[in-house]
């Protein structure tokens, strides 16, 4: 028999979000303040959690307590470092992160890129969240948390995934697609990874591979980067004349000048000719330009004669994370 101290563990790291939010009125699902309840208290409020723990001990740690719209690079690094520290322990089976829904896909993608592949090959990092605050008449956080723990303890689970509304998405594919509904995420064309039903994971495709990007900085290198490269997102739309790009080029920030631009093009990454001309000026000024699409589904298919790099299927916000990391890794 294991004593309490040598039980296998599942670790839950808290970062805030609506899952930890409270409102003064239980029927108010929008006028709440995110990030009010600590992660240990959230876990205590999940009835029957022991049913999915399979004898594992539960360890929790508050890494941050914030509304994810305000997420910062230093918190990302601290989070990634805590994930590595915990997952490197042989007695830790898997790890869950509670996070706001608004930037969950960016954090998931960041972790997918920077966490060491050898850890992600055998162990899961499971982000989860809620669309209703903890004080709601009908909070979705407790079920999401229970499902996330079930995923983290599923035999063979590995890689960075996210769980919301009984659905499991990979870090690469997840995108917030709804402003209000509890089932707020999609995996687009790729389709969801799995469903969680009564604590059981029904897998629809293989657990995700570790990241495929070449020029990724190690966590140590990223942690030494005091000022992250400025990469902004510009969008194509009717009448877009590239003035935003020219303004960004003329914006002489002392410590963080413009290093990269992701263009959320129309359709298959098409760009108004005037915006295109401004982006060409950016290229000539040494700014990297990556072409993505404002469409919710489908990759930008690379055109034969396009001078801009393409986003390799990433959404604009994820392409921005990839480009920042690429610039740090050079
Ligand atoms: C947040 O992203 O922190 C607030 C919104 C949410 O979690 O749904």
């Amino acid at each position: 028999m294991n004593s309490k101290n040598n039980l296998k563990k599942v670790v839950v790291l808290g970062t805030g979000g609506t899952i930890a939010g409270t409102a003064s009125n239980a029927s108010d699902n929008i006028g709440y303040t995110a990030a009010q309840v600590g992660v240990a208290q959230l876990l205590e409020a999940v009835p029957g959690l022991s049913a999915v723990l399979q004898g594992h001990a539960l360890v929790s740690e508050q890494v941050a307590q914030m509304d994810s719209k305000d997420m910062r690079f230093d918190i990302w690094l601290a989070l990634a470092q805590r994930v590595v520290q915990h997952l490197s322990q042989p007695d830790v089976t898997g790890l869950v992160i509670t996070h706001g829904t608004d930037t969950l896909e960016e954090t998931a993608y960041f972790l997918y890129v920077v966490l060491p592949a050898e850890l992600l090959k055998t162990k899961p990092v499971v982000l989860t969240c809620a669309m209703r605050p903890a004080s709601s008449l009908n909070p979705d956080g407790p079920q999401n948390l229970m499902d996330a723990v079930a995923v983290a303890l599923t035999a063979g689970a590995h890689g960075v995934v996210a769980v919301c509304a009984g659905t499991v998405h990979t870090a690469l594919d997840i995108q917030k697609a709804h402003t209000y509904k509890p089932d707020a995420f999609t995996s687009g064309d790729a389709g969801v990874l799995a469903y969680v039903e009564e604590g059981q994971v029904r897998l629809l495709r293989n657990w995700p591979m570790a990241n495929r990007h070449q020029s990724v900085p190690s966590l140590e290198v990223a942690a030494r980067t005091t000022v992250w490269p400025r990469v902004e997102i510009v969008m194509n739309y009717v009448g877009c004349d590239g003035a935003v790009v020219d303004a960004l080029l003329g914006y002489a920030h002392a410590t963080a000048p413009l290093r990269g631009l992701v263009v959320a093009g129309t359709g298959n990454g098409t760009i108004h000719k005037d915006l295109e001309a401004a982006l060409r000026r950016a290229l000539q000024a040494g700014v990297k330009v990556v072409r993505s699409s404002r469409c919710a589904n489908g990759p930008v298919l690379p055109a034969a004669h396009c001078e801009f790099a393409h986003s390799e299927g990433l959404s604009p916000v994820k392409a921005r994370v990839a480009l920042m990391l690429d610039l740090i890794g050079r």
Side-chain angles (χ1 to χ4, degrees):
M1 283 275 290
N2 280 326
S3 78
K4 178 95 178 157
N5 282 343
N6 58 21
L7 282 178
K8 289 278 205 181
K9 299 184 180 87
V10 58
V11 176
V12 184
L13 303 181
T15 71
T18 294
I19 190 168
T22 54
S24 52
N25 177 346
S27 61
D28 187 351
N29 287 313
I30 54 170
Y32 60 87
T33 308
Q36 300 300 299
V37 184
V39 64
Q41 206 181 326
L42 291 180
L43 288 164
E44 279 162 21
V46 182
L49 190 57
S50 56
V52 293
L53 278 175
Q54 303 169 31
H56 283 68
L58 200 54
V59 175
S60 68
E61 181 181 325
Q62 196 76 48
V63 175
Q65 185 66 303
M66 65 193 310
D67 191 319
S68 81
K69 71 180 173 54
D70 301 322
M71 186 49 74
R72 305 190 313 254
F73 304 135
D74 60 326
I75 306 267
W76 268 3
L77 288 168
L79 180 62
Q81 286 162 341
R82 294 312 294 147
V83 172
V84 170
Q85 169 66 28
H86 284 294
L87 278 194
S88 306
Q89 307 306 313
D91 60 351
V92 172
T93 305
L95 188 140
V96 171
I97 299 171
T98 59
H99 197 289
T101 61
D102 285 350
T103 59
L104 182 146
E105 68 210 62
E106 286 164 75
T107 299
Y109 179 74
F110 167 74
L111 293 173
Y112 159 77
V113 176
V114 301
L115 291 176
E118 61 277 13
L119 281 181
L120 293 184
K121 263 191 259 168
T122 53
K123 294 188 181 183
V125 174
V126 186
L127 289 97
T128 195
C129 56
M131 289 294 285
R132 302 285 177 265
S135 58
S136 168
L137 287 174
N138 191 14
D140 50 335
Q143 181 72 55
N144 286 345
L145 207 38
M146 179 132 110
D147 288 349
V149 172
V151 172
L153 295 179
T154 294
H158 61 88
V160 182
V161 301
V163 177
C164 183
T167 308
V168 190
H169 307 265
T170 69
L172 201 51
D173 299 314
I174 189 167
Q175 209 169 346
K176 189 169 179 183
H178 203 282
T179 54
Y180 184 72
K181 284 192 205 162
D183 191 2
F185 290 93
T186 174
S187 286
D189 283 353
V192 305
L193 175 68
Y195 294 108
V196 191
E197 294 152 344
E198 302 297 309
Q200 299 299 310
V201 173
R202 178 159 59 92
L203 199 60
L204 302 185
R205 52 194 178 94
N206 292 334
W207 292 100
M209 309 284 284
N211 96 71
R212 63 205 162 118
H213 296 284
Q214 302 301 313
S215 59
V216 172
S218 66
L219 256 184
E220 291 73 27
V221 170
R224 282 199 300 273
T225 307
T226 45
V227 181
W228 279 42
R230 178 181 297 280
V231 176
E232 302 289 351
I233 299 173
V234 295
M235 188 184 270
N236 191 47
Y237 38 76
V238 171
C240 186
D241 65 0
V244 171
V245 172
D246 288 326
L248 284 167
L249 285 174
Y251 174 62
H253 194 287
T255 51
L258 186 67
R259 301 279 310 281
L261 283 169
V262 173
V263 53
T266 27
N268 185 33
T270 57
I271 304 169
H272 188 294
K273 61 183 174 36
D274 296 339
L275 175 59
E276 193 168 355
L279 291 171
R280 227 172 265 132
R281 289 193 285 281
L283 268 188
Q284 278 155 12
V287 172
K288 301 260 171 234
V289 179
V290 170
R291 202 165 57 99
S292 64
S293 175
R294 68 182 209 181
C295 290
N297 286 303
V300 168
L301 301 171
H305 304 297
C306 184
E307 66 260 62
F308 309 129
H310 69 91
S311 66
E312 299 184 22
L314 295 175
S315 65
V317 290
K318 289 182 185 173
R320 173 176 174 266
V321 177
L323 181 51
M324 284 189 296
L325 290 171
D326 184 53
L327 288 164
I328 289 172
R330 276 163 199 273

